Amino acid sequence: MVNATEPLQHPSALLRLDRATGTLKQRQFQVSVLSGPDAGTSKALEGSLVVGSHQDAGITLTDTTVSRYHVEFTARPDGVRVKDLESKNGTWLGPTRVTEVIVEAQADISVGKTTLRVKMVEADLGVPQAQASFGPAIGASPAMKQLFGILEKVSPSDSTVLLLGETGTGKEVLARAIHDRSTRGRKGFVVVDCGAVAPSLIESELFGHVRGSFTGAVSDRNGAFLEGDGGTIFLDEIGELPLELQPKLLRVLEAGTVRRVGEDKQRSVDVRIVAATHRDLEAEVEAGRFRRDRYYRLAVVLVTVPPLRDRLDDLPLLAAHFVKTMGRGEFELPHGLMARFAAYHWPGNVRELRNLVERALANNDFEPLPTSDGAAPNARAMLGGGELTDLPFKEAKERLVESFTRDYLEAMLEKCNGNISQLAREAGIARNYVHRLVTRYGLKGHD
């Protein structure tokens, strides 16, 4: 059984669930001036903070031996990045002059004649109360009730949220509910599907462009970040974003500025990011397809939405909800159909359940449904039976990939006598990634 809050234990998350007390703990960082002319000054570190003698610095020092923009502190899930900004007198950690270093818990940093202390503190957000709904999302299973309680707690903040989960689990529904419950709820909610936009157009889609900056740019466009200023941007399928664009997104996350394609001017934006992906981003980082620093910056609050097959307790509730929203009132689906639902492995998750209920009601016919043995049908059978052609291309493709992945793993496990290390070598993929896939699909293997 997948624990919906398991990723909160991951070292790359700033939010964790304390198993001993049941409370949510949020790591926060603070920069204080220990000694020097400005001793006693202190500021919470949210995102990035520049310390220097310039009046525009986040902490302005009167120490004449400090450069205008001397050092930058950036909060990351793995600690605080301390980066010297090419200062004249350098940034020092003890006797060592540093260009860039990660501070995990606490350290004293010397700049000129001033000593700064960066320190991690942990805030108690209280016990998340299990609840049966979160916005339009509903669930009767303990995993979903706990997930809803956690999201209720973190929604009012501006923390970046990364929703992990398979296609069709309802990540966009949850993202919109997070926005509605935040202080930005009356502002815009902008959705960008990074996997559905052509790679040549994704930069314009996100950051905008000026007229004439490329073929087809017949007028100025603001892009998602400028359109969503003051509100929330939901970056769906963030794992599909081209590698070359990831530094630009990181700049927006850290500096809060965007530059439209074909324009030199940097524009300030104030947005909250909620992102989602069905990919294993840790594996993508290891494979070099996803930048580690961007992963850390996105994974401030990291939660997994469990697949439907791991929360079958929700099936009756969800099915009844879909029947009602489709105008059939108190109509009850046949018990035999619900039994077949309970035996199915649901590669398309809640979205697939909704589609099947809709088809069953529309046809008044309950035959074109998944087989009771839960076996994933092959592509031609799915196409011929209308199971794929009833879906948009992207969803159909992802469903086929899910089916292929499971079948491939089963075949390879049989070939390798269940040896995961051998499977990883022959398949050319990381062993820890194979472990996650085997667990995800409920298969059995050994090292």
Side-chain angles (χ1 to χ4, degrees):
M1 179 69 70
V2 174
N3 185 339
T5 62
E6 183 178 352
L8 293 177
Q9 307 304 309
H10 193 280
S12 69
L14 290 178
L15 191 75
R16 70 179 182 87
L17 189 67
D18 189 324
R19 298 298 184 189
T21 63
T23 60
L24 283 174
K25 303 285 189 177
Q26 185 174 26
R27 289 195 295 143
Q28 299 173 337
F29 298 95
Q30 190 172 49
V31 177
S32 305
V33 182
L34 283 187
S35 65
D38 307 286
T41 302
S42 181
K43 193 165 186 178
L45 179 57
E46 298 178 356
S48 295
L49 175 69
V50 173
V51 177
S53 58
H54 196 278
Q55 61 181 4
D56 290 337
I59 293 182
T60 301
L61 301 177
T62 57
D63 185 345
T64 57
T65 61
V66 170
S67 298
R68 288 157 55 88
Y69 300 103
H70 197 112
V71 62
E72 179 184 48
F73 297 90
T74 302
R76 296 163 38 131
D78 57 339
V80 174
R81 183 186 69 181
V82 182
K83 182 179 181 181
D84 181 76
L85 301 178
E86 300 182 357
S87 63
K88 182 177 180 180
N89 294 322
T91 297
W92 299 79
L93 178 60
T96 305
R97 183 168 183 168
V98 297
T99 302
E100 185 173 325
V101 67
I102 300 294
V103 174
E104 293 185 357
Q106 179 176 306
D108 293 343
I109 305 294
S110 298
V111 294
K113 297 179 180 179
T114 295
T115 301
L116 306 168
R117 172 167 290 174
V118 56
K119 182 178 181 180
M120 186 271 286
V121 293
E122 199 166 50
D124 192 329
L125 301 184
V127 178
Q129 298 299 314
Q131 55 192 63
S133 64
F134 181 66
I138 57 175
S141 62
M144 292 305 291
K145 286 183 175 181
Q146 186 183 53
L147 175 63
F148 294 158
I150 290 169
L151 294 180
E152 192 74 56
K153 280 283 187 184
V154 303
S155 292
S157 74
D158 268 347
S159 296
T160 302
V161 179
L162 179 58
L163 300 169
L164 305 179
E166 297 175 12
T167 298
T169 49
K171 298 187 291 295
E172 183 173 343
V173 173
L174 294 175
R176 187 175 292 274
I178 290 170
H179 167 72
D180 290 342
R181 281 161 168 69
S182 72
T183 57
R184 302 171 181 266
R186 294 185 178 181
K187 299 288 186 176
F189 179 77
V190 179
V191 179
V192 179
D193 187 339
C194 299
V197 182
S200 59
L201 297 177
I202 187 66
E203 183 174 6
S204 170
E205 183 76 18
L206 291 172
F207 310 125
H209 64 254
V210 296
R211 178 182 178 183
S213 56
F214 57 86
T215 302
V218 296
S219 61
D220 288 357
R221 180 179 182 181
N222 277 336
F225 278 93
L226 291 171
E227 290 290 341
D229 192 20
T232 301
I233 291 183
F234 175 51
L235 299 177
D236 197 9
E237 296 303 347
I238 189 70
E240 312 303 314
L241 192 68
L243 189 63
E244 61 270 18
L245 280 184
Q246 294 180 23
K248 296 183 179 181
L249 177 59
L250 186 64
R251 183 170 63 245
V252 179
L253 293 171
E254 293 192 342
T257 60
V258 300
R259 182 175 62 83
R260 296 191 298 177
V261 177
E263 185 177 58
D264 293 331
K265 179 182 178 181
Q266 294 282 351
R267 299 171 181 264
S268 296
V269 292
D270 173 25
V271 295
R272 182 187 192 174
I273 303 295
V274 179
T277 181
H278 73 283
R279 291 189 177 276
D280 184 334
L281 287 189
E282 290 182 67
E284 294 295 297
V285 169
E286 294 301 321
R289 292 187 292 267
F290 202 87
R291 288 173 59 105
R292 187 178 299 276
D293 52 1
R294 190 167 69 100
Y295 174 60
Y296 284 148
R297 187 60 183 83
L298 287 170
V300 175
V301 178
L302 180 66
V303 294
T304 293
V305 186
L308 185 54
R309 63 181 170 275
D310 286 342
R311 52 183 180 105
L312 295 178
D313 291 350
D314 291 337
L315 272 173
L317 179 67
L318 289 168
H321 171 73
F322 291 141
V323 168
K324 185 175 181 180
T325 58
M326 292 171 191
R328 296 297 290 269
E330 301 303 319
F331 177 83
E332 292 188 11
L333 295 173
H335 292 297
L337 178 63
M338 293 305 300
R340 292 176 67 186
F341 278 178
Y344 186 50
H345 71 290
W346 296 107
N349 292 294
V350 178
R351 183 184 294 128
E352 183 179 18
L353 173 63
R354 188 188 189 285
N355 290 343
L356 290 174
V357 170
E358 183 175 21
R359 181 191 300 176
L361 294 176
N363 296 341
N364 221 5
D365 176 359
F366 304 104
E367 288 307 310
L369 296 170
T371 57
S372 59
D373 63 4
N378 62 45
R380 187 169 297 279
M382 293 166 75
L383 285 167
E387 294 181 40
L388 290 182
T389 52
D390 285 345
L391 299 174
F393 171 79
K394 179 186 173 185
E395 295 175 25
K397 178 182 176 182
E398 288 171 348
R399 180 166 173 181
L400 269 179
V401 170
E402 288 284 335
S403 175
F404 163 78
T405 304
R406 182 187 179 93
D407 289 347
Y408 180 82
L409 285 173
E410 287 180 337
M412 288 296 289
L413 283 169
E414 182 176 353
K415 174 184 177 183
C416 300
N417 296 317
N419 189 300
I420 290 177
S421 297
Q422 182 183 346
L423 190 161
R425 287 193 300 271
E426 295 194 15
I429 53 181
R431 184 169 61 86
N432 60 348
Y433 184 42
V434 175
H435 268 292
R436 284 193 288 272
L437 288 175
V438 166
T439 301
R440 172 178 170 179
Y441 292 108
L443 304 176
K444 293 183 179 179
H446 61 84
D447 285 311

